[in-house]
Amino acid sequence: MTPERYQQIGRLLDAALEHAPDERATLLAQACGADEALRREFESLLNAHERSKWTP
Amino acid sequence: LPGVPWRMVLLINGASINEPTSQELTQLLREWSRGSHTAQERMIPLVYDELRRMAKRQLRRQPPGNTLQTTALVHEAYLRLVDTSQMEWQDRAHFFAVAARAMRCLLVDRARARQAEKRGGGAQRVELDEAAAVSPEQSVDMLMLDEALGRLAALDQRQGQIVELRYFGGMSLEETAEALNLSAITVRREWVKAKAWLYRELSRGQTE
């Protein structure tokens, strides 16, 4: 992964976390389009976020 | 700052403060505040040595199990090594940044030494105060974490710094923000992403 790609996924994650879970699919479809690799990376990170303990 | 009572407790308990190191560190912190770029690099070995001595003492007091209370150690090092009466808030943040790096080096060195003793028979796992935050398990393989953190810093240097300060320095979101000259909101947002990324990387390592 490149730093640019990581930033792109990070911005997507920021946006997703500001939306309700049921709005994320729409957001993702708009942001990823046909970029399946981006979608997979995003989903795997979101999944890791949800499994990691929330300790701000 | 809660520094004064703790310092007094340490003195009452007979803990000796390493005066030459303390003076040197206090001087280096001042140089750093005045813009010296080498002050930080010169501070790391000094803090490392003190942390190593303190870690040995802490482990001796405990039953076997190798649980290092890293956050407590870093805070104790601050009180022992820095003349808090002469410090500005920014100096405190600078010290913690150095201590976090030194703590990381210390834990990695310990893990490597353990691994060498065992001739590669399983990586050393270290329990950390904040381990649950980035690892699927309570304990974390320090060498794996160090390596993953290196890759994270290559992708996003700022996230790497935030994890180092939060995880190895035991700094709060607000303290981390102060040390890096960022808003607490930014630090929180970046911390959440860094944690998710590390959690994923460490999960992968464990299932393979």
Side-chain angles (χ1 to χ4, degrees), chain A residues 22-51:
Chain A
D22 59 353
E23 294 168 343
R24 284 176 194 163
T26 319
L27 185 87
L28 200 59
Q30 283 168 358
C32 297
D35 193 341
E36 268 305 308
L38 180 63
R39 176 190 287 272
R40 276 197 304 276
E41 273 291 334
F42 167 80
E43 281 174 347
S44 122
L45 271 182
L46 184 64
N47 186 261
H49 166 73
E50 279 162 358
R51 283 183 296 133

Side-chain angles (χ1 to χ4, degrees), chain B residues 46-58:
Chain B
L46 297 175
V47 178
Y48 178 98
D49 285 346
E50 188 61 26
L51 281 177
R52 195 179 55 189
R53 274 192 290 275
M54 287 166 45
K56 267 189 188 152
R57 272 197 301 274
Q58 192 189 74

Side-chain angles (χ1 to χ4, degrees), chain B residues 152-166:
Chain B
L152 175 64
L155 288 174
D156 190 313
Q157 194 190 2
R158 194 167 67 174
Q159 284 187 17
Q161 286 176 322
I162 290 171
V163 173
E164 196 169 79
L165 289 166
R166 297 274 287 133

Side-chain angles (χ1 to χ4, degrees), chain B residues 12-26:
Chain B
I12 291 162
N13 287 343
S16 63
I17 290 168
N18 187 337
E19 281 301 337
T21 305
S22 175
Q23 281 171 15
E24 200 175 344
L25 275 171
T26 305

Side-chain angles (χ1 to χ4, degrees), chain A residues 12-25:
Chain A
L12 203 50
L13 204 59
D14 287 337
L17 295 176
E18 282 164 14
H19 286 74
D22 59 353
E23 294 168 343
R24 284 176 194 163

Side-chain angles (χ1 to χ4, degrees), chain B residues 143-201:
Chain B
L143 299 180
M144 258 174 58
L145 173 64
D146 181 61
E147 191 266 335
L149 188 50
R151 280 187 285 125
L152 175 64
L155 288 174
D156 190 313
Q157 194 190 2
R158 194 167 67 174
Q159 284 187 17
Q161 286 176 322
I162 290 171
V163 173
E164 196 169 79
L165 289 166
R166 297 274 287 133
Y167 194 84
F168 294 105
M171 292 176 83
S172 68
L173 283 174
E174 290 72 21
E175 287 168 333
T176 306
E178 187 68 34
L180 299 177
N181 223 355
L182 298 168
S183 73
I185 290 168
T186 302
V187 170
R188 176 195 281 262
R189 205 172 52 216
E190 299 304 305
W191 167 243
V192 164
K193 285 182 285 188
K195 238 171 46 170
W197 190 87
L198 283 171
Y199 189 94
R200 187 183 68 169
E201 296 303 298

